[in-house]
Amino acid sequence: MVNSPTTSPLGMTRHRVRLRAHVAAVCCGVLLTGPILAGATAPALAAVAQERHEESGRGTLLSAEKLYTLASPQAAAAELRTAGFGDDTVRHGVVAYRLIYRTVDAKGQPTTASGLFAVPLGAERHLQAVSFAHGTGAHKDDSPSMRRAVFHSAPVIAHAAAGAAAVAPDYLGLGKGPGLHPWMDIGSETTASLDMLRAARAFAPRTGHVLDREVLVTGFSQGASAALGLGRALEAGEDRWFGLGALAPVSGAYDFGGAELPALVAGTLDKKSGAVYAAYTLVAFNRLHPIYDRPEEVFRGTYAHTVEDLFDGAHTGLDLMRGIPDSLDALLTEHGLALLTHPTGALAAALRTTDAVCTDWRPRAPVRLYMATGDEQATTENTEHCRAALARRGVDVPVVDLGAVDYKESRHLGSNVAATTAIVRWFGELRRR
């Protein structure tokens, strides 16, 4: 899931009210797995979320900067080809903007974030929004609004060039956002995504457009879980304007604790990617849900003094590849490996929240899950577990196997490229209905 092609592989403050266990909680305006406000109905929970959004100014647009104009369909097509993506769904030129907006951090405190907003040239005034959540990155520039004609921004341009208003959060701590990135934290990925939609809606009239109510949501790898989190929030009524129109996640680690980590530990995934993900998991989760006191407890030798710094937002994917060994045995102590093999305590609790994106709600909107057999970074058991979990709730979700779709020698990265074209087509069909 480390999704920069240059690499080849790759906790929230609780509102203190009376609680009841095992349902869902509104926490800092986000619907999360866990307790529920005692006696509260779903509409009441949504009302609380909306009230907190309004009080905090979440989604308030702070600034907008035009980044570039692709003045014709041909220019948009060339942009996509440069990034290695298909161009056969292009119908419009595109104008791309960076938006900076108010949101909340992983502890529910006010912060800011950035994202990419792209609109089609020559399109009708009313546009349907497509929200795209990108895959894992380590550097702040590994985000849609920071670079053009690259892996993270190309899906945004593809959706805009097909006639949608494309909205893509950079996530907390990436792009122009302050602080460190809380990787695989579904709560903050959801708030950043929802608040980016709100900022885009506020800005859209300046481009001559109005955003329709129904949002088509997609995301890749890390962003696949983020997309499910956003879809869940939209269907829970956490915004008074936006609702969920359809959901199309790609190659996600939906069962991070139950499928992804076991595959990583067992060595059935790419071993270098596995070492990078093991390091990112321990460092990122420890920042929000302390699971070790000193890095020496989990990282071997000199890695105890270097690995945490690699995830500071200033190091590139290449830095990670050079600074992390090729195997878990070389990276982790016995205790570090045990934490990932049999998560307990704070890590187990955090993974239950991360892994609930497919298990604790019943989507009403159409859903398709996209994957590629042979994915070397996100085990396809994730997709099967998600499909089965939704089936248990009475939702029959088709799984689209994209086939042998390698990109820069990676089946995982290739699934994003191939799925982008397929999802642009599906979303286009839904818009025309």
Side-chain angles (χ1 to χ4, degrees), residues 259-328:
E260 186 69 13
L261 288 182
L264 180 155
V265 170
T268 58
L269 302 177
D270 176 78
K271 288 181 171 53
K272 184 69 174 188
S273 300
V276 172
Y277 289 135
Y280 213 166
T281 299
L282 291 170
V283 171
F285 278 65
N286 190 62
R287 288 169 178 166
L288 295 182
H289 324 276
I291 54 179
Y292 61 84
D293 294 323
R294 297 173 297 109
E296 292 86 349
E297 297 173 21
V298 295
F299 298 120
R300 290 186 180 276
T302 59
Y303 298 117
H305 308 291
T306 60
V307 166
E308 289 188 330
D309 289 341
L310 290 173
F311 299 98
D312 61 359
H315 286 79
T316 65
L318 185 59
D319 293 333
L320 266 64
M321 299 300 288
R322 290 172 173 169
I324 292 174
D326 293 340
S327 70
L328 294 184

Side-chain angles (χ1 to χ4, degrees), residues 154-179:
V156 189
I157 300 305
H159 284 286
V167 184
D170 291 332
Y171 302 144
L172 297 183
L174 298 179
K176 295 293 185 179

Side-chain angles (χ1 to χ4, degrees), residues 56-64 98-115 140 143 145 169-182 188-189 191-193 195-196 199:
S56 67
R58 282 180 42 196
T60 299
L61 178 66
L62 298 177
S63 68
R98 179 188 296 120
L99 307 185
I100 297 178
Y101 58 97
R102 296 190 190 279
T103 187
V104 290
D105 66 16
K107 297 182 182 294
Q109 300 303 306
T111 188
T112 60
S114 60
K140 282 183 175 288
S143 49
S145 83
D170 291 332
Y171 302 144
L172 297 183
L174 298 179
K176 295 293 185 179
L180 299 171
H181 173 51
S188 63
E189 291 171 359
T191 51
S193 299
D195 293 342
M196 177 64 187

Side-chain angles (χ1 to χ4, degrees), residues 68-430:
Y68 48 91
T69 299
L70 305 171
S72 66
Q74 292 75 18
E79 183 92 355
L80 292 172
R81 288 195 300 272
T82 299
F85 282 66
D87 63 358
D88 54 340
T89 59
V90 171
R91 296 189 294 112
H92 299 270
V94 173
V95 185
Y97 304 86
R98 179 188 296 120
L99 307 185
I100 297 178
Y101 58 97
R102 296 190 190 279
T103 187
V104 290
D105 66 16
K107 297 182 182 294
Q109 300 303 306
T111 188
T112 60
S114 60
L116 182 64
F117 180 54
V119 295
L121 290 170
E124 297 179 355
R125 175 174 172 78
H126 285 266
L127 295 176
Q128 190 162 21
V130 170
S131 177
F132 170 76
H134 67 85
T136 296
H139 195 280
K140 282 183 175 288
D141 287 353
D142 292 335
S143 49
S145 83
M146 298 304 290
R147 293 187 294 160
R148 58 179 291 187
V150 293
F151 192 77
H152 289 306
S153 61
V156 189
I157 300 305
H159 284 286
V167 184
D170 291 332
Y171 302 144
L172 297 183
L174 298 179
K176 295 293 185 179
L180 299 171
H181 173 51
W183 183 66
M184 289 299 292
D185 179 60
I186 303 301
S188 63
E189 291 171 359
T190 300
T191 51
S193 299
L194 184 55
D195 293 342
M196 177 64 187
L197 276 171
R198 291 162 170 160
R201 183 188 173 208
F203 178 69
R206 303 187 201 178
T207 71
H209 297 289
V210 175
L211 300 190
D212 292 339
R213 288 181 177 273
E214 286 195 344
V215 182
L216 306 172
V217 178
T218 182
F220 165 65
S221 194
Q222 174 188 355
S225 292
L228 282 158
L230 175 60
R232 180 175 57 184
L234 291 171
E235 286 212 341
E238 291 196 20
D239 189 82
R240 289 179 177 173
W241 178 258
F242 290 118
L244 180 63
L247 188 55
V250 183
S251 300
Y254 316 111
D255 192 1
F256 195 67
E260 186 69 13
L261 288 182
L264 180 155
V265 170
T268 58
L269 302 177
D270 176 78
K271 288 181 171 53
K272 184 69 174 188
S273 300
V276 172
Y277 289 135
Y280 213 166
T281 299
L282 291 170
V283 171
F285 278 65
N286 190 62
R287 288 169 178 166
L288 295 182
H289 324 276
I291 54 179
Y292 61 84
D293 294 323
R294 297 173 297 109
E296 292 86 349
E297 297 173 21
V298 295
F299 298 120
R300 290 186 180 276
T302 59
Y303 298 117
H305 308 291
T306 60
V307 166
E308 289 188 330
D309 289 341
L310 290 173
F311 299 98
D312 61 359
H315 286 79
T316 65
L318 185 59
D319 293 333
L320 266 64
M321 299 300 288
R322 290 172 173 169
I324 292 174
D326 293 340
S327 70
L328 294 184
D329 290 341
L331 174 68
L332 300 180
T333 64
E334 290 185 6
H335 178 59
L337 185 60
L339 279 173
L340 298 182
T341 305
H342 303 291
T344 59
L347 178 58
L351 288 171
R352 283 193 293 271
T353 297
T354 302
D355 295 349
V357 290
C358 297
T359 63
D360 71 348
W361 66 302
R362 186 183 188 280
R364 298 183 301 274
V367 181
R368 291 182 181 178
L369 299 174
Y370 293 78
M371 48 75 71
T373 299
D375 191 320
E376 81 287 357
Q377 294 187 41
T379 175
T380 55
E381 288 186 14
N382 284 294
T383 300
E384 178 54 31
H385 289 187
C386 185
R387 186 208 62 77
L390 293 171
R392 287 192 293 271
R393 289 184 167 264
V395 183
D396 185 14
V397 173
V399 173
V400 180
D401 188 339
L402 299 159
V405 288
D406 293 353
Y407 173 87
K408 296 186 182 296
E409 301 181 354
S410 168
R411 183 66 49 84
H412 184 63
L413 298 181
S415 69
N416 186 34
V417 176
T420 294
T421 298
I423 294 168
V424 167
R425 291 188 186 282
W426 183 43
F427 283 179
E429 293 171 2
L430 293 175

